[in-house]
Structure formats: structure tokens, C-alpha cells
Amino acid sequence: MRLAFITSNPGKVEEAKKYFEPLGVEVYQLRMEYPEIQADSLEEVALFGLEWLARKIDGPFFLDDSGLFIDALGGFPGVYSAYVYRTLGIGGILKLMDGLEDRNAHFRSVIAYWDGEAHIFTGRVDGEITTSPRGSGGFGFDPIFRPRGFNITFAEMTTEQKNVISHRGRALKAFADWLKENLK
Ligand code: ITT
Ligand code: NA
């Protein structure tokens, strides 16, 4: 089976490929712009994009909308994560958190799959924002996110290690489990 992943982010594709490869599913990146609405939840953003794209794409496809939610900042950047990453960047987040003792944060990932109707799969990982960036792997906010129970950041892990515990890895697992049940 081949699955189109609609995203501009090669880091996401790498993770999905690594996850699906052993299962015999080939994931490929399809770059198509779609509107990302301003909404309160990742689910709303993902579903709007999915239904918009469904009118342009033949056959099944999926997308992923993710966010970093920082407790001490009231869940910011959350649904604004992509914009904040492009503007403030990692350095800006560290500056906002300068001197804050509560470093708790989590990532959420919403995968939306279209096969004639919408299916949603989600994953979450809890952890902490570090005080300085560490590691060169991964992408986005990975160098400043240390998952709970680990002494290293996502950027210091291999893709396989990150996939076992990450928000996206968990959403991919739910997606893959569902595919196994439903493609028989
Ligand atoms: P799309 O084209 O798939 O939308 P994007 O990078 O814009 O790609 P999002 O809209 O989901 O992705 O924005 C989420 C932001 O959070 C973005 O800046 C990512 O770099 C970052 N992010 C998402 N998943 C991440 C992860 O696993 N590790 C670190 N940062 C992540
Ligand atoms: Na995006």
C-alpha cells in the first residue's frame, strides 16, 4: 500500500516512513498548500484541511497537525506552534521561559486520514522544556523538549527512539492499528 502524506515538513515524513516501512506501507510526501484555519484545537485545524484537500485529491491521503503546549505559558504556542516556530523560534521560547521554574510541556499530534470519510488519530507526549538547546536530530522544537523519564532531548534521539514515545509515533501507531483492522 502507498499512502500520500500531505505536508511541507520533511521531518514529519521521515518519521512516518520509518514507522510504516516495517509494516510494508510506503509513505510518500505530497506538497500541497491547504488553509490552516485559526481554531481552538488541532482537531479542527486538521479536519478543515482534510475536507478542503479531499475535494482536490483522488484516493486516500493523510495530514498531521501538531503543537507544543507549555503549561507555564497557558498552553502557548499550541495551535500557533508553526507560526511561533517561524517567528520567535526556539530562542524566543527559551527567552519567554527565562527564570520560570515550571518547565512542564507536552506535544500533541493529530493525524487526519481521508478514505472517502475522515478518520482522526491522536497522540501525546509529556515532558519538559530544557534551559538550552541540545542535539541536532529531529526538527522543530526537538532540541528543547525532553520527554518525561529521559535525560536527553528528542533532538538527541534517533528517529526510531523518538517514534516509540513521541506524540506523532503514538498517533501513527493508532493509525497503523486501525489500518490493519480495516484494510483486510
Ligand atoms: P505541515 O506542512 O505538515 O503543516 P508544519 O511544520 O507547518 O508542517 P504544523 O502545522 O503541525 O507543522 O506545526 C507544528 C509546529 O510544531 C511546527 O513548527 C513544527 O516544526 C513543530 N513540531 C511539530 N511536530 C514536532 C515534533 O515532533 N518535534 C518538534 N517540533 C515539532
Ligand atoms: Na502547518
Side-chain angles (χ1 to χ4, degrees), residues 120-160:
I120 293 281
F121 308 96
T122 66
R124 171 181 171 145
V125 59
D126 288 89
E128 293 190 347
I129 303 298
T130 55
T131 50
S132 59
R134 280 199 335 232
S136 56
F139 65 93
F141 299 105
D142 279 346
I144 57 167
F145 186 83
R146 186 174 52 231
R148 188 164 295 158
F150 291 81
N151 279 321
I152 55 175
T153 66
F154 271 162
E156 293 174 298
M157 295 184 175
T158 63
T159 302
E160 287 88 345

Side-chain angles (χ1 to χ4, degrees), residues 7-9 12 36 66 82 85 139 141-142 162 167-168:
T7 178
S8 64
N9 185 327
K12 290 183 180 180
E36 289 192 14
S66 303
Y85 182 74
F139 65 93
F141 299 105
D142 279 346
K162 183 185 166 188
H167 49 309
R168 182 162 305 98

